[in-house]
């Protein structure tokens, strides 16, 4: 009885302890010309059609991190979840469905964005291009560097953003794990019920 209850408790602890573990981290960058010191409107989204015409910032289905960045945001981390981003479920659904869709990043002008396949954006293999098999509960957008620089020969100011998207959650438990947990709980309850009769 003690062994069974200890096993069930350990299984619950194991499953819940992975709830906010780091699953994957993808480092990327963006750059374009623009006046120094100005804020930069950004947004991410997920699409299955590479010719999807709606800008990421206007795509309510899978838009996340639609905001304005300044150079003073370097070093900051922002978090998206189902609680604060209406497009979170759509983004996560697309990036964990096992199909190599597309992640778009809008950098500045709503009419311009970078489009990359999930495999390239995440840095994964063609055998596992996205995060299928994981339950993603939160995404962190970490601004590594964000700065202006000037190229004198072209007389142009540029803005450079280096960032990571960090995906938190846990592997989806195998059906066998849930079956074992259910059977163990049922056995524990039946044993307890039988003891009460005695």
């Amino acid at each position: 009885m003690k062994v069974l209850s200890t096993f069930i408790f350990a299984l619950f602890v194991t499953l819940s302890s992975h709830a906010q573990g780091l699953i994957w981290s993808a480092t990327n960058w963006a750059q374009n010309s623009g006046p120094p010191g100005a804020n930069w409107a950004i947004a991410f989204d997920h699409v299955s059609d590479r010719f999807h015409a709606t800008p990421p910032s206007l795509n309510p289905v899978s838009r996340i991190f639609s905001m304005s960045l300044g150079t003073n945001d370097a070093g900051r981390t922002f978090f998206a979840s189902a609680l604060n981003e209406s497009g979170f479920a759509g983004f996560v659904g697309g990036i964990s469905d096992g199909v190599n869709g597309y992640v778009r990043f809008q950098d500045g002008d709503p009419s311009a964005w970078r489009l990359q396949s999930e495999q390239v954006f995440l840095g994964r293999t063609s055998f596992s291009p996205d995060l299928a098999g994981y339950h993603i509960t939160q995404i962190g957008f970490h601004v590594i560097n964000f700065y202006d620089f000037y190229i004198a020969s072209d007389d142009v100011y540029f803005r450079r953003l280096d960032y990571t998207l960090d995906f938190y959650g846990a592997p989806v438990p195998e059906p066998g794990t849930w079956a074992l947990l259910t059977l163990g709980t049922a056995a524990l309850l039946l044993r307890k019920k039988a003891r009460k009769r005695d």
Side-chain angles (χ1 to χ4, degrees):
M1 174 74 167
K2 262 187 179 176
V3 173
L4 183 59
S5 59
T6 304
F7 171 75
I8 291 170
F9 177 73
L11 190 55
F12 271 123
V13 169
T14 302
L15 291 174
S16 62
S17 69
H18 293 299
Q20 280 302 306
L22 179 64
I23 296 169
W24 193 260
S25 188
T27 302
N28 284 284
W29 63 277
Q31 179 177 300
N32 66 14
S33 59
N39 283 355
W40 204 9
I42 66 155
F44 292 87
D45 77 344
H46 182 279
V47 292
S48 55
D49 175 12
R50 65 176 299 136
F51 301 108
H52 192 86
T54 306
S57 62
L58 299 178
N59 181 4
V61 175
S62 62
R63 175 191 63 214
I64 60 172
F65 297 119
S66 182
M67 59 192 203
S68 185
L69 278 184
T71 51
N72 61 340
D73 288 319
R76 292 185 66 189
T77 303
F78 304 90
F79 291 97
S81 71
L83 299 175
N84 65 355
E85 292 276 8
S86 59
F88 183 80
F91 188 91
V92 165
I95 210 157
S96 61
D97 64 0
V99 178
N100 194 14
Y102 299 93
V103 175
R104 302 190 303 169
F105 175 68
Q106 181 178 309
D107 50 357
D109 188 339
S111 64
W113 56 79
R114 297 172 137 233
L115 175 130
Q116 290 180 303
S117 70
E118 292 171 5
Q119 179 187 338
V120 172
F121 182 87
L122 295 171
R124 297 189 47 100
T125 72
S126 57
F127 298 106
S128 179
D130 69 3
L131 300 175
Y134 291 96
H135 173 65
I136 301 166
T137 56
Q138 185 170 257
I139 301 172
F141 168 56
H142 178 65
V143 182
I144 302 169
N145 285 309
F146 189 38
Y147 57 91
D148 299 307
F149 63 97
Y150 178 67
I151 298 179
S153 59
D154 297 330
D155 190 28
V156 176
Y157 281 96
F158 282 92
R159 175 152 289 182
R160 166 86 181 209
L161 170 66
D162 298 300
Y163 67 90
T164 62
L165 277 192
D166 300 316
F167 298 86
Y168 297 89
V172 175
E174 294 290 327
T177 304
W178 288 115
L180 188 59
L181 182 62
T182 304
L183 283 172
T185 305
L188 185 62
L189 292 172
L190 288 172
R191 179 112 188 219
K192 216 174 205 184
K193 194 173 181 182
R195 279 187 149 187
K196 279 186 179 178
R197 286 185 195 158
D198 295 340

